[in-house]
Amino acid sequence: MKVLIVEDDPLHRSYLHEAVNAALPECDTVIEAENGTVGEKLARDHKSAHIVMDLQMANRNGIEAARTIWKERPETRILFWSNYSDEAYVRGVSRIVPDGAAYGYVLKSASDERLKLALRSIFIESQCVIDREVRGLQQKSLGQTNGFTDSEYEILVDIALGLTDRAIAKRRGLSLRSVQNRLQQLYDKLDVYQSAGDDHEDGRFNLRARAITVAFLRKLLNYSALERAEAELQEWLDGK
Amino acid sequence: MKVLIVEDDPLHRSYLHEAVNAALPECDTVIEAENGTVGEKLARDHKSAHIVMDLQMANRNGIEAARTIWKERPETRILFWSNYSDEAYVRGVSRIVPDGAAYGYVLKSASDERLKLALRSIFIESQCVIDREVRGLQQKSLGQTNGFTDSEYEILVDIALGLTDRAIAKRRGLSLRSVQNRLQQLYDKLDVYQSAGDDHEDGRFNLRARAITVAFLRKLLNYSALERAEAELQEWLDGK
DNA sequence: CAACAAGCTGCGGGTTTACGCAAGACGGCG
DNA sequence: CGCCGTCTTGCGTAAACCCGCAGCTTGTTG
């Protein structure tokens, strides 16, 4: 059995290497990649079936890399090992995981023990292992309670990219008014009014900009999500 | 000599510990803190004069911690050790460093050798050591070329917070029109038009929102900068 | 099938933005 | 002092945004 490690940080990389050796005696080869681009290449060359991947990497982030890898070989098992459990990451991951694929999401703050367990469960038993904390987010975001619909999330991304209402309408195939309806929904859920209204005439916020910031502070958006969205936008613009 | 290490990640923490021991034989005690809050407390209790500090920490980020520490004892020597060289961080740091204080900014990607050199230079020789890459940003941001004025940065933060033009005017003691002038300057420098104009009528952007995103993508803003700005805003709001 | 909730759409109007134009204010500099 | 560049401010306008109201299309449920 071969395992591919994709991780930015040299310290974390060697830690992972050790952890893999300890948890998986049946693993005879461990390969390392120091960023997403190299990771993709090595995965392709070695036809890797077992990958441990960091999410936040400078060169090419984990989600991008995982997407292309899964596109080529959907049965690949990937364990995401991340510092954060931002909703933006969780959403990003669950959007790209192929049907029935075994994968995992473990936080870097987890114990050695938990990491090893996750490694065995995913790579040997083909089970999904999602960190408790991450799991919580997932439920909330899929169940409607306090969570954001896909369409709400979509429009959030669109205004974050800086599109006008009209542009959004065109892009999503909606009328102007519908876009604005969704915006109102979004503002509602993000509680943009509350902080705005409390202080009569002056204290008002620019709802659109405020929504973006609140989303950031709540980790609904983060850098990598923006980056991906921006890339998609450019693609769309080029395709007329 | 005593050294205090403030760092989130256990792996990095122990790496730092070793590096300090190796670089500074004259150091007899090393203390560790795993987040900003604890860091502040330990610094106070031990009257630490030598600190190595991570910038990005979940609980209370390095800039906040450094600020309160420096407020209490401005002659404290702090070496910032960070993964990133976002302009937002660089700006944040240089805003809080007291006159004449010895400090340093080294990237985590730097070699062992460079880290050790920096430790000695700052703690023993009282010299400032700024990573080359960071230095570049600093020059650019202070010199006018391609960089952002303080007033431009200020207004960037304000719209990022979601303030209306009117609110900004009140907060900064300017007229409405002046605020809008600065906004135009900002839009100019951020190149918000270019990407907007290329594609006739539809492709236009919402300048305000677009500016925020572009600033994010260019690392002029990041989470921690937003967080700080938001805290300041709340303070201002409370002070009516 | 009737009833009802949820989402899309057009209309209309009040507010905020973006920005050209032009008149002061302030600070160097020859 | 007079000239010039930078910064501020007011006025005015076209566009974009926020949103209440009301008519339509769906899908769901009793």
Side-chain angles (χ1 to χ4, degrees):
Chain A
M1 179 199 250
K2 257 189 308 195
V3 172
L4 168 61
I5 293 174
V6 187
E7 160 71 67
D8 243 338
D9 184 317
L11 289 174
H12 289 176
R13 203 158 59 229
S14 69
Y15 169 77
L16 267 185
H17 197 134
E18 264 179 64
V20 167
N21 280 338
L24 300 167
E26 50 272 87
C27 164
D28 47 44
T29 327
V30 177
I31 326 168
E32 299 185 359
E34 74 276 14
N35 65 51
T37 315
V38 176
E40 284 174 25
K41 186 174 175 339
L42 288 183
R44 185 160 23 228
D45 292 351
H46 291 265
K47 302 194 199 320
S48 301
H50 308 92
I51 304 182
V52 185
M53 171 107 63
D54 188 15
L55 279 181
Q56 187 176 40
M57 292 180 292
N59 189 306
R60 177 161 172 77
N61 78 57
I63 294 186
E64 294 292 350
R67 183 162 60 176
T68 74
I69 289 171
W70 264 331
K71 198 163 287 171
E72 295 175 14
R73 257 163 301 101
E75 75 290 357
T76 311
R77 291 167 197 170
I78 305 184
L79 170 58
F80 296 100
W81 192 56
S82 167
N83 253 315
Y84 310 99
S85 58
D86 298 2
E87 183 161 346
Y89 279 136
V90 177
R91 230 174 237 279
V93 168
S94 59
R95 181 192 305 276
I96 60 164
V97 38
D99 288 348
Y103 79 105
Y105 196 132
V106 175
L107 294 179
K108 288 192 179 179
S109 56
S111 65
D112 293 12
E113 203 43 49
R114 205 182 309 174
L115 173 58
K116 286 178 191 166
L117 252 166
L119 283 168
R120 289 202 71 79
S121 303
I122 298 165
F123 291 164
I124 310 286
E125 313 287 345
S126 307
Q127 281 199 302
C128 284
V129 178
I130 315 288
D131 200 291
R132 160 175 280 104
E133 192 180 333
V134 177
R135 190 79 198 143
L137 275 182
Q138 232 176 30
Q139 312 252 274
K140 233 186 17 189
S141 91
L142 295 186
Q144 72 289 41
T145 332
N146 191 359
F148 290 74
T149 326
D150 282 340
S151 66
E152 283 157 0
Y153 188 73
E154 203 175 61
I155 208 167
L156 168 61
V157 171
D158 283 341
I159 60 167
L161 285 172
L163 296 174
T164 60
D165 292 4
R166 197 188 312 283
I168 299 174
K170 184 149 300 186
R171 185 176 185 197
R172 305 296 181 190
L174 292 171
S175 77
L176 227 186
R177 191 62 181 86
S178 294
V179 171
Q180 295 173 332
N181 271 342
R182 293 193 176 180
L183 276 177
Q184 279 182 260
Q185 258 175 272
L186 182 69
Y187 297 155
D188 231 17
K189 286 216 186 166
L190 284 175
D191 246 13
V192 189
Y193 300 107
Q194 164 242 4
S195 35
D198 59 7
D199 224 276
H200 29 272
E201 326 89 41
D202 306 331
R204 226 187 225 104
F205 282 111
N206 176 316
L207 298 178
R208 191 173 269 249
R210 184 68 183 163
I212 299 176
T213 298
V214 171
F216 251 100
L217 291 175
R218 290 209 199 163
K219 317 273 184 106
L220 266 168
L221 285 178
N222 61 18
Y223 181 84
S224 114
L226 257 195
E227 206 180 15
R228 259 175 299 137
E230 174 75 14
E232 278 172 28
L233 172 64
Q234 286 309 328
E235 233 171 80
W236 178 74
L237 282 179
D238 293 344
K240 196 177 77 93
Chain B
M1 181 200 250
K2 257 190 306 196
V3 172
L4 168 61
I5 293 175
V6 188
E7 161 71 68
D8 243 337
D9 184 315
L11 290 173
H12 289 174
R13 206 158 56 228
S14 69
Y15 169 77
L16 266 186
H17 197 133
E18 263 180 64
V20 168
N21 279 338
L24 301 166
E26 50 273 85
C27 164
D28 46 44
T29 327
V30 177
I31 325 167
E32 299 186 359
E34 73 277 14
N35 65 49
T37 315
V38 176
E40 283 175 24
K41 185 172 176 342
L42 288 183
R44 188 164 18 234
D45 292 351
H46 292 266
K47 301 193 200 321
S48 300
H50 309 92
I51 303 181
V52 185
M53 171 106 62
D54 189 15
L55 280 181
Q56 188 175 41
M57 293 180 293
N59 187 307
R60 177 162 173 76
N61 78 57
I63 294 187
E64 295 292 351
R67 185 160 62 175
T68 74
I69 289 172
W70 264 332
K71 198 163 288 171
E72 296 175 14
R73 258 164 299 102
E75 74 289 358
T76 311
R77 291 168 197 167
I78 304 183
L79 170 58
F80 295 101
W81 193 56
S82 166
N83 253 316
Y84 309 99
S85 59
D86 297 3
E87 183 160 347
Y89 280 135
V90 176
R91 231 173 235 279
V93 169
S94 58
R95 182 192 304 276
I96 59 163
V97 38
D99 287 348
Y103 80 103
Y105 195 131
V106 174
L107 294 178
K108 287 192 179 177
S109 56
S111 65
D112 293 12
E113 202 44 49
R114 207 186 304 177
L115 172 58
K116 287 179 191 166
L117 253 166
L119 283 167
R120 288 202 72 79
S121 303
I122 298 166
F123 291 163
I124 309 285
E125 314 286 345
S126 305
Q127 281 199 303
C128 284
V129 177
I130 315 291
D131 201 290
R132 160 175 280 103
E133 193 181 332
V134 177
R135 190 80 199 141
L137 275 182
Q138 232 176 32
Q139 311 252 274
K140 233 186 14 189
S141 90
L142 296 184
Q144 73 290 40
T145 334
N146 191 0
F148 290 75
T149 326
D150 281 341
S151 65
E152 283 156 1
Y153 188 73
E154 204 177 59
I155 206 165
L156 169 62
V157 171
D158 284 341
I159 61 168
L161 285 172
L163 296 174
T164 59
D165 293 3
R166 198 189 312 283
I168 299 175
K170 184 150 299 185
R171 184 175 187 200
R172 304 297 181 189
L174 291 172
S175 76
L176 225 188
R177 190 61 179 88
S178 294
V179 170
Q180 296 173 330
N181 269 342
R182 293 190 177 181
L183 276 176
Q184 279 182 261
Q185 253 175 277
L186 182 70
Y187 296 156
D188 230 17
K189 286 215 186 166
L190 283 175
D191 248 14
V192 189
Y193 300 106
Q194 165 242 1
S195 34
D198 60 8
D199 227 272
H200 30 272
E201 326 86 42
D202 303 334
R204 226 186 227 103
F205 282 111
N206 176 317
L207 298 177
R208 192 173 267 250
R210 185 66 183 164
I212 299 175
T213 298
V214 171
F216 250 100
L217 291 175
R218 289 208 199 165
K219 317 272 182 109
L220 265 168
L221 287 178
N222 61 18
Y223 181 84
S224 112
L226 257 194
E227 205 180 16
R228 260 176 298 138
E230 175 74 15
E232 279 171 29
L233 172 64
Q234 286 309 329
E235 234 170 80
W236 178 73
L237 282 179
D238 293 345
K240 205 176 67 104

